Amino acid sequence: MRRSAVRYGVVAAAAATVLSVAAAAPPRTVPQAAPVPWAAAPAGHAPPVKVPVAVGHGGAVASVDADASAAGIEVLRRGGNAVDAAVAVAAALGVTEPYSAGIGGGGYLVHYDARSRTVHTVDGRETAPASADAALLTENGAPLPFAEAMTSGRSVGTPGTPATWATALDAWGSKPLGELLAPAERLAREGFTVDATYRAQTEANEARFRDFPASAALFLPGGRLPEIGSVVTNPDLARTYATLGEQGVGALYRGPLARDIVRTVRTPPVREGAGRVVRAGDLTERDLAAYRTVRRAPTKVAYRGLDVYGMAPSSSGGTTVGEALNILETTDLSAAPETGYLHRFIEASRIAFADRGRWVGDPAFESVPVRGLLSQRYADSRACLIRDDAALVSPLAPGDPRDPVPCAPGGTAAPTTYEGENTTHLTVADRWGNVVAYTLTIESTGGSGITVPGRGFLLNNELTDFSFVPANPAVHDPNLPGPGKRPRSSISPTIVLDRHDRPVLALGSPGGATIVTTVLQTLTGVLDRGLPLVDAIAAPRASQRNQATTELEPALWNSPVRAALEALGHSFRQNPEIGAATGVQRLPDGRWLAAAETARRGGGSAMVVRPDR
């Protein structure tokens, strides 16, 4: 969404790629938005152009930001692989997308290894302090107001993003961390150009940022909102990246930086006279030193002759997308009219979310029946609840994957708890055929709102992804806080392989719980409806999460299909924007196609190493 102010090597090298791929884009059925009109950058610093689709050879990168995508392309050009490039892109997003992701947060990475033709994952989710218990987000037995919980030390979990980079690079990378952080370090030091989205997100957080002097100094330079077209820098983050590059990511988990994080959480640096209630957290240096990522087996389901791999719990993404695909497997979605397709998609999502709420949590604390949730037998027992002439009613009761009973009404229903709708996603492929789908986050837009003084990054508020109290006291809630526990996530990085275990498609999205439905709708758009990837990403979205109403984007809200679905009993509410997906696709002739949003969040940035001419 931002454009670099300084044309250093990474951006300059990739600019030709960005500008040349437009003519190579395949035919599209969904009109693309024009490039976002930026205010004039400083003389001599023309910002690179965002292009949402690119086709060519040598590897591909898709993200929300042109500077970040360019950093990944430069790594690929210099012989780096997909994991190397993914780290470079993620670090750059920490500069230009600081309200969505950064080293103060966490995420999940799914990796396809072309040599072994296998899929692996890294769980880099944040963890609660060792002192946390089920009452972490309550006072006097009542849940904290969400606005107070999110802007507090109480909601900050141990960051997992730097450890995720180290785990992935140790397992599959080929370049040193310092080399991969260099583009982001330069971007932070020399600056990038503010766009409309960055300004709007800053404005939405202005009141919070003003209550924390370090946040105000960084994001409200001169005490004012940054103007579109102005240049902002982050020298503190540049120095922090330099430290991590020289000392390794362990510098964030032990030593002076770790102490700064703990001090900020335990004594939030609120300005004198602020009227905001900002609760202290209980994160300790021992919590940071004890943090570990988890290498988990991916989830896997068969769909239309392909294998779909995703992220296992602690994320609910892989199980929920997988269960919904299994429910849809027995329906010919390619031949269905739009109303029938959306009806089935909505109902499959509703059922999968009902089961998610009851069964999915951190497997270190909960017995999560992953195999049962992903079995076709269980999906069939749930799919028979769907009727062609009437919509189901939410909240729908969960089933029992341990003992599937066809069309059983299920147990007691529980409502779906709230998740913030921010985060960012990147997708990368390299010339050897390795692929990375990586979603990272600091939770809410702006995270906790609290910047670590002198370090240049925001702390997450991921612990608000826990249930504050049980969603329904009569139903076991697997997502209550606990010591060292990972809160449940909806992050859904996904890789699809063909019957020869070669990559076909990889994608993911931000958007809180709407991530699941965005990924599911995009997958079915490509695999069932035959849409080009960029069109499937751009298509208007619906999102049903076992709630009384289904969210619709304006294009569906204003279309005749809404009335047709309402006639079946569906109820809707409007959401101006759902998700912001990116993906890469391996074409039959061996070329890579990268695709991103055409309009959502200001449009995304797709690039390839050697574009078609």
Side-chain angles (χ1 to χ4, degrees):
M1 286 187 276
R2 254 65 65 202
R3 299 295 185 261
S4 65
V6 180
R7 303 288 288 162
Y8 58 81
V10 168
V11 173
T17 299
V18 178
L19 294 172
S20 65
V21 296
R28 296 184 296 274
T29 57
V30 176
Q32 288 197 16
V36 176
W38 306 108
H45 300 299
V49 176
K50 277 188 176 181
V51 177
V53 63
V55 181
H57 295 85
V61 178
S63 81
V64 74
D65 182 73
D67 291 320
S69 294
I73 288 293
E74 181 61 17
V75 167
L76 295 176
R77 280 189 171 147
R78 293 186 178 184
N81 63 27
V83 167
D84 300 324
V87 171
V89 175
L93 289 170
V95 179
T96 62
E97 299 291 317
Y99 310 144
S100 299
I103 56 174
Y108 298 88
L109 185 148
V110 178
H111 173 252
Y112 170 77
D113 186 319
R115 179 173 297 178
S116 62
R117 298 190 181 185
T118 54
V119 177
H120 308 268
T121 78
V122 180
D123 180 335
R125 183 64 156 161
E126 302 86 342
T127 55
S131 62
D133 59 20
L136 175 69
L137 299 171
T138 68
E139 281 186 358
N140 301 317
L144 293 174
F146 188 86
E148 294 183 14
M150 69 179 285
T151 309
S152 72
R154 189 89 64 93
S155 66
V156 179
T158 302
T161 289
T164 299
W165 296 351
T167 298
L169 290 172
D170 287 348
W172 310 293
S174 67
K175 301 286 187 181
L177 179 64
E179 180 179 333
L180 302 176
L181 295 182
E185 182 187 339
R186 287 194 297 269
L187 188 60
R189 185 174 59 250
E190 298 174 357
F192 61 91
T193 303
V194 171
D195 70 0
T197 303
Y198 183 91
R199 179 182 165 87
Q201 290 180 341
T202 308
E203 186 173 17
N205 280 286
E206 182 177 4
R208 289 206 299 160
F209 289 166
R210 289 196 184 281
D211 284 342
F212 301 99
S215 297
L218 178 57
F219 300 118
L220 300 168
R224 298 183 300 274
L225 287 171
E227 296 293 334
I228 297 172
S230 65
V231 176
V232 296
T233 62
N234 190 341
D236 287 344
L237 183 57
R239 287 189 289 270
T240 299
Y241 277 164
T243 297
L244 296 181
E246 293 166 2
Q247 301 178 21
V249 303
L252 185 134
Y253 295 97
R254 295 176 179 83
L257 178 51
R259 288 194 289 273
D260 285 351
I261 292 171
V262 169
R263 184 183 307 113
T264 303
V265 172
R266 298 178 71 87
T267 311
V270 186
R271 69 173 173 85
E272 186 177 352
R276 185 182 303 275
V277 175
V278 182
R279 292 169 177 81
D282 198 31
L283 194 72
T284 67
E285 290 183 55
R286 181 173 294 181
D287 290 321
L288 267 71
Y291 183 83
R292 299 292 185 274
T293 59
V294 182
R295 292 272 304 274
R296 301 192 188 278
T299 61
K300 176 185 175 182
V301 297
Y303 188 72
R304 313 301 190 206
L306 303 169
D307 289 327
V308 181
Y309 291 85
M311 193 66 225
S314 58
S315 179
S316 66
T319 54
T320 311
V321 170
E323 181 183 350
L325 287 173
N326 283 340
I327 289 170
L328 294 171
E329 175 78 21
T330 57
T331 301
D332 184 0
L333 298 179
S334 65
E338 186 177 17
T339 299
Y341 160 67
L342 288 172
H343 172 65
R344 285 275 167 171
F345 161 74
I346 288 169
E347 298 296 64
S349 300
R350 189 193 313 271
I351 293 168
F353 265 90
D355 294 333
R356 163 194 183 268
R358 167 61 183 86
W359 298 106
V360 181
D362 183 345
F365 292 78
E366 303 289 334
S367 179
V368 185
V370 172
R371 181 175 297 182
L373 287 168
L374 294 177
S375 73
Q376 191 62 52
R377 178 184 171 214
Y378 181 62
D380 292 344
S381 77
R382 299 290 276 159
C384 66
L385 296 171
I386 300 175
R387 294 172 49 185
D388 289 331
D389 60 348
L392 294 166
V393 176
S394 288
L396 185 73
D400 188 344
R402 303 166 302 180
D403 183 24
V405 177
C407 303
T412 304
T416 298
T417 53
Y418 173 77
E419 286 183 43
E421 294 191 1
N422 206 35
T423 301
T424 193
H425 179 82
L426 62 96
T427 320
V428 181
D430 65 29
R431 59 180 155 173
W432 299 283
N434 303 300
V435 179
V436 170
Y438 180 22
T439 313
L440 58 161
T441 181
I442 58 172
E443 179 50 15
S444 300
T445 303
S448 66
I450 306 172
T451 298
V452 181
R455 299 298 188 171
F457 62 91
L458 287 158
L459 292 171
N460 69 81
N461 64 312
E462 293 292 349
L463 302 188
T464 61
D465 269 353
F466 283 122
S467 302
F468 288 26
V469 295
N472 182 338
V475 180
H476 174 72
D477 191 328
N479 192 40
L480 292 171
K485 190 174 182 179
R486 288 163 152 84
R488 182 174 60 207
S489 172
S490 294
I491 286 175
S492 308
T494 301
I495 295 178
V496 181
L497 305 185
D498 65 16
R499 60 188 179 89
H500 301 293
D501 293 326
R502 293 176 299 201
V504 172
L505 178 68
L507 74 156
S509 176
T514 70
I515 293 172
V516 171
T517 56
T518 295
V519 169
L520 179 63
Q521 189 171 354
T522 305
L523 282 171
T524 57
V526 174
L527 302 180
D528 291 293
R529 308 295 279 178
L531 294 175
L533 178 57
V534 70
D535 293 4
I537 288 172
R541 294 188 183 128
S543 182
Q544 167 53 239
R545 306 185 299 280
N546 197 27
Q547 296 176 325
T549 55
T550 298
E551 294 180 3
L552 293 182
E553 287 188 325
L556 284 176
W557 178 268
N558 296 319
S559 76
V561 74
R562 176 165 70 99
L565 289 167
E566 286 174 338
L568 296 177
H570 291 280
S571 297
F572 299 105
R573 67 185 186 277
Q574 191 170 178
N575 185 334
E577 189 175 274
I578 297 173
T582 74
V584 299
Q585 186 174 20
R586 190 67 180 260
L587 301 178
D589 60 8
R591 293 178 300 162
W592 286 109
L593 181 148
E597 293 288 351
T598 61
R600 295 181 185 94
R601 295 200 183 187
S605 173
M607 298 184 184
V608 293
V609 173
R610 297 193 308 277
D612 286 353
R613 301 292 180 181

